[in-house]
Amino acid sequence: QKTAYEIRNCDWSSDVCSSDLGQLGAVWIESDLEAFYHRLRSNAAAALLALTLASFLALALSSRFQSLISEPILALATVARKVEREKDYKLTVLKSSEDEIGQLVDDFNLMIRAVSERDQALVDHQNKLEARVADRTKELESEVEVRRQREEELKKAKEGAEAAVEKARQAMASP
């Protein structure tokens, strides 16, 4: 019994003709396709087995290669988050390879070092400015004290002069 997807026999026929004599006969070939189907099933099973084995091998290799790539990147991301959170620009990432990931780690470490140097320069400049402000504040406080003393002296001199004027007025007013 045949199904739509299974044909058991293959038939082929052709007439044999000659240009001089006309039709000489016919050729009929009939073949049982059971051996073909058996090889097809065997080859499909072998292909499925090879595909399954290749998939497992690809999964194992991708897991190994994935960790080679993701572990250094995750370490880099961890340090980057810690630097951002703690503002500690002295942290670095350990380089684990000489490939593109290693170059990324080198570049990150260079960037962090540059930021650290910049921050240290800003701190140094801030300290110098604070020292200058403190020095200038002392100078101004000293000037203010000198001016206060001068003002006090001038006030006393004015009071003394006013008292002398008042005495002179009183002396002139009395005969």
Side-chain angles (χ1 to χ4, degrees):
Q1 187 176 17
K2 297 180 191 176
T3 63
Y5 299 105
E6 188 175 334
I7 299 174
R8 295 282 179 197
N9 296 328
C10 178
D11 298 331
W12 179 79
S13 64
S14 178
D15 293 331
V16 177
C17 299
S18 168
S19 58
D20 298 343
L21 303 172
Q23 183 173 359
L24 298 174
V27 174
W28 177 274
I29 299 175
E30 183 175 339
S31 176
D32 181 14
L33 296 177
E34 187 60 37
F36 169 75
Y37 286 126
H38 178 70
R39 279 194 318 270
L40 184 63
R41 283 189 294 273
S42 295
N43 288 344
L48 184 61
L49 178 63
L51 182 63
T52 302
L53 290 174
S55 296
F56 282 121
L57 180 63
L59 179 64
L61 287 174
S62 68
S63 294
R64 173 68 179 132
F65 289 135
Q66 191 265 342
S67 68
L68 287 174
I69 292 170
S70 66
E71 286 175 6
I73 291 176
L74 289 173
L76 181 69
T78 300
V79 171
R81 280 191 298 275
K82 190 171 183 180
V83 165
E84 190 274 330
R85 189 175 50 250
E86 298 175 10
K87 306 296 186 234
D88 182 1
Y89 295 103
K90 296 199 180 348
L91 295 174
T92 58
V93 180
L94 294 176
K95 184 176 176 180
S96 61
S97 63
E98 292 295 329
D99 56 4
E100 292 85 359
I101 303 295
Q103 183 63 46
L104 179 64
V105 167
D106 283 343
D107 292 344
F108 177 82
N109 288 337
L110 286 172
M111 179 187 67
I112 290 296
R113 188 176 311 123
V115 169
S116 176
E117 290 169 359
R118 185 208 63 199
D119 279 1
Q120 187 59 49
L122 286 173
V123 167
D124 292 345
H125 188 67
Q126 180 181 5
N127 291 338
K128 287 177 186 175
L129 286 175
E130 286 175 0
R132 285 180 60 194
V133 166
D135 290 345
R136 185 67 181 136
T137 300
K138 284 180 185 176
E139 289 174 10
L140 291 173
E141 286 173 348
S142 176
E143 285 182 30
V144 166
E145 182 60 28
V146 167
R147 288 183 183 197
R148 191 190 61 73
Q149 289 173 357
R150 291 274 175 146
E151 185 181 333
E152 190 63 37
E153 290 171 3
L154 287 172
K155 185 177 175 185
K156 286 180 183 178
K158 177 183 169 195
E159 289 173 357
E162 286 175 351
V165 167
E166 186 60 34
K167 273 188 183 183
R169 247 188 231 159
Q170 285 177 2
M172 287 176 48
S174 55

